[in-house]
């Protein structure tokens, strides 16, 4: 958990107070009607702020609050990720508003975006695949490389996003950091050492090097980074598929589907099939399943 509490500013219980750093990003002259807890997070306190605007209309915002230095980096990574997706395909994400630090509690940090009422139904297969493929195809890496300009977090774990020319090199570094974090938390393991040696010496080069050999190349595409079913929904008002809680970087577009391989994820093979009707499988095509199993790690 990266949240230690915000005395006097907790959501719900009739509270209508928000920190001045949040208030300055809300519409001028608005009146706060209520704050409510909204949803569940392992890492943060999340809520909805309901407002009355100067013209009498009502508007709501979503807020996520975390603590400490890691929390500050987490909300910055999420804000920059959501901005990156919104810049490419604004209809695919709630509009990000701000991230910052509480004025009244300096060790407390927030992410603010527009509130969109969503159902947790699975989005229509082809509509979702069309949007995701558009995000991947339209996005352009600002450096032409793989990576991202700020550290992004999968949950509360930092991702390795330093810019790299080669996708194989980038993925190997990311995988190494994930394994190092695992070992740091759980301790060394002889079996893991053996498997890791095979992974880096044999599996990664075998599956990823052909993507960038014999004249082939990989386009760095903006990926959501944590696209499981709980980070997607359907807008109640428009029926539009939406994604949120992103931890983006520029990657091989197929990296997105590793998250879809486990049986617990409700993005089944029909979504991959629909996606591949918009975007061809990368060559060599016969390695597709193997690459997705690798990305699944």
């Amino acid at each position: 958990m990266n949240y230690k509490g915000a005395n006097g500013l907790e959501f719900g219980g009739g509270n209508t107070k928000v920190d001045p750093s949040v208030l300055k990003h809300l519409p001028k002259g608005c009146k706060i009607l209520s704050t409510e807890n909204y949803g569940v997070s392992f890492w943060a306190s999340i809520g909805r702020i309901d407002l009355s605007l100067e013209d009498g209309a009502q508007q709501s915002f979503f807020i996520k609050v975390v603590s400490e230095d890691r929390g500050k980096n987490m909300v910055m990574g999420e804000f920059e990720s959501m901005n990156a997706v919104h810049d490419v395909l604004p209809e695919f994400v709630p509009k990000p508003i701000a991230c910052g630090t509480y004025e009244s509690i300096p060790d407390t940090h927030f992410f603010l975006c527009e509130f969109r009422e969503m159902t947790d139904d699975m989005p229509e297969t082809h509509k979702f695949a069309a949007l995701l493929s558009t995000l991947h195809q339209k996005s352009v890496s600002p450096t032409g490389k793989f990576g991202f300009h700020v550290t992004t977090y999968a949950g509360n774990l930092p991702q390795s996003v330093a810019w790299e020319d080669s996708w194989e090199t980038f993925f190997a570094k990311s995988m190494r950091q994930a394994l190092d974090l695992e070992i740091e938390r759980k301790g060394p393991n002889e079996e893991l050492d053996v498997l890791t040696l095979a992974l880096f010496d044999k599996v990664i080069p075998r599956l990823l090097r052909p993507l960038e050999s014999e004249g082939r190349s990989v386009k760095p595409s903006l990926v959501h980074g944590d696209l499981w079913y709980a980070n997607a929904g359907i807008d109640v008002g428009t029926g539009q598929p939406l994604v949120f809680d992103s931890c983006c970087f520029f990657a091989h577009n197929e990296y997105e589907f590793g998250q879809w391989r486990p049986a617990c994820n409700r993005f089944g093979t029909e979504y991959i099939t629909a996606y591949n009707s918009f975007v061809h499988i990368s060559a060599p095509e016969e390695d597709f399943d193997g690459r997705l199993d690798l990305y699944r790690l």
Side-chain angles (χ1 to χ4, degrees):
M1 186 72 172
N2 282 87
Y3 179 67
K4 299 192 301 184
N7 189 33
L9 297 173
E10 301 289 6
F11 308 128
N15 177 49
T16 58
K17 294 180 181 179
V18 299
D19 185 84
S21 292
V22 176
L23 186 60
K24 74 178 183 181
H25 293 290
L26 300 177
K28 185 178 178 181
C30 69
K31 178 183 178 182
I32 298 174
L33 300 176
S34 67
T35 65
E36 301 293 341
N37 287 300
Y38 187 81
V40 177
S41 170
F42 291 114
W43 323 115
S45 174
I46 55 178
R48 188 187 74 228
I49 303 172
D50 296 325
L51 311 174
S52 175
L53 305 180
E54 283 188 312
D55 63 3
Q58 294 190 3
Q59 187 174 0
S60 297
F61 291 82
F62 172 87
I63 186 168
K64 178 184 291 187
V65 183
V66 289
S67 305
E68 303 179 339
D69 287 343
R70 175 166 293 196
K72 181 178 182 178
N73 294 332
M74 287 167 63
V75 294
M76 180 182 295
E78 182 170 358
F79 178 71
E80 293 296 333
S81 293
M82 294 287 279
N83 258 333
V85 177
H86 190 267
D87 285 348
V88 177
L89 201 61
E91 64 268 35
F92 202 28
V93 290
K95 182 180 180 181
I97 304 298
C99 68
T101 297
Y102 275 16
E103 181 180 307
S104 57
I105 314 173
D107 200 26
T108 299
H109 317 283
F110 68 92
F111 165 77
L112 184 71
C113 72
E114 68 172 343
F115 179 83
R116 303 281 288 273
E117 186 73 47
M118 283 181 266
T119 72
D120 58 4
D121 297 327
M122 293 300 291
E124 194 280 322
T125 308
H126 280 82
K127 184 183 289 188
F128 186 82
L131 288 165
L132 185 61
S133 64
T134 299
L135 173 66
H136 292 165
Q137 291 179 299
K138 272 186 70 176
S139 56
V140 178
S141 169
T143 64
K145 301 180 180 183
F146 302 97
F148 205 60
H149 62 286
V150 299
T151 300
T152 54
Y153 284 71
N156 69 340
L157 298 178
Q159 301 186 118
S160 176
V161 294
W163 297 109
E164 292 289 346
D165 291 305
S166 161
W167 170 240
E168 179 189 345
T169 301
F170 178 89
F171 181 83
K173 284 188 172 182
S174 298
M175 191 74 244
R176 174 63 67 185
Q177 176 165 303
L179 285 167
D180 286 346
L181 288 169
E182 183 80 2
I183 293 167
E184 179 184 317
R185 297 289 176 89
K186 297 183 179 178
N189 179 281
E190 290 185 8
E191 184 179 10
L192 181 61
D193 290 342
V194 173
L195 294 171
T196 297
L197 187 64
L199 176 67
F200 286 95
D201 287 354
K202 296 181 179 180
V203 178
I204 291 177
R206 166 61 188 86
L207 289 172
L208 300 190
R209 194 163 298 171
L211 290 167
E212 300 173 301
S213 302
E214 300 179 9
R216 293 186 284 263
S217 62
V218 178
K219 173 193 178 297
S221 297
L222 186 69
V223 296
H224 176 283
D226 190 19
L227 193 51
W228 66 305
Y229 71 87
N231 286 341
I234 301 173
D235 186 288
V236 169
T238 66
Q240 174 78 22
L242 293 171
V243 297
F244 50 92
D245 209 11
S246 57
C247 50
C248 292
F249 52 91
F250 287 88
H252 180 208
N253 65 302
E254 292 173 1
Y255 175 88
E256 201 88 271
F257 310 135
Q259 183 73 277
W260 297 5
R261 296 294 265 190
C264 61
N265 201 323
R266 293 160 62 189
F267 282 115
T269 55
E270 68 275 17
Y271 284 89
I272 296 176
T273 300
Y275 179 94
N276 287 333
S277 71
F278 297 102
V279 181
H280 292 303
I281 295 172
S282 297
E285 293 186 15
E286 59 268 25
D287 289 344
F288 179 66
D289 283 333
R291 290 193 298 264
L292 266 55
D293 281 337
L294 176 63
Y295 298 155
R296 175 184 183 176
L297 295 179

